[in-house]
Amino acid sequence: MTISAFPVLERGGSGLELTDPGMTLRDYFAARAIGPLLQQIEVYPDENWRIALAIDAYAMADAMLVARERAPS
């Protein structure tokens, strides 16, 4: 199941309608993880640092989604 962050709801003929799903929660978590990872840029020494950084950000996002499922409500 994909969870959206910042969906856009607008008034329509039958009440509120989803007009834009927004970004996925996974993308939101990855975006939030980029900043702290950039603080440790020396960990990424070669010319492919952008790809490695993105992979790590999404790995962190995936871990956050797993933790979210396991956390008691």
Side-chain angles (χ1 to χ4, degrees), residues 32-60:
R32 294 299 303 223
I34 286 282
L37 290 170
L38 279 169
Q39 300 280 326
Q40 302 172 353
I41 195 68
E42 68 277 355
V43 174
Y44 307 97
D46 66 15
E47 68 276 358
N48 295 318
W49 67 270
R50 290 174 185 86
I51 293 170
L53 184 74
I55 288 169
D56 286 351
Y58 275 102
M60 181 59 72

Side-chain angles (χ1 to χ4, degrees), residues 3-64:
I3 301 169
S4 294
F6 313 115
V8 176
L9 298 173
E10 295 180 4
R11 292 185 193 268
S14 59
L16 290 178
E17 297 176 1
L18 181 66
T19 58
D20 187 337
M23 67 186 341
T24 66
L25 190 56
R26 181 176 187 250
D27 288 336
Y28 175 74
F29 283 163
R32 294 299 303 223
I34 286 282
L37 290 170
L38 279 169
Q39 300 280 326
Q40 302 172 353
I41 195 68
E42 68 277 355
V43 174
Y44 307 97
D46 66 15
E47 68 276 358
N48 295 318
W49 67 270
R50 290 174 185 86
I51 293 170
L53 184 74
I55 288 169
D56 286 351
Y58 275 102
M60 181 59 72
D62 291 339
M64 286 190 264

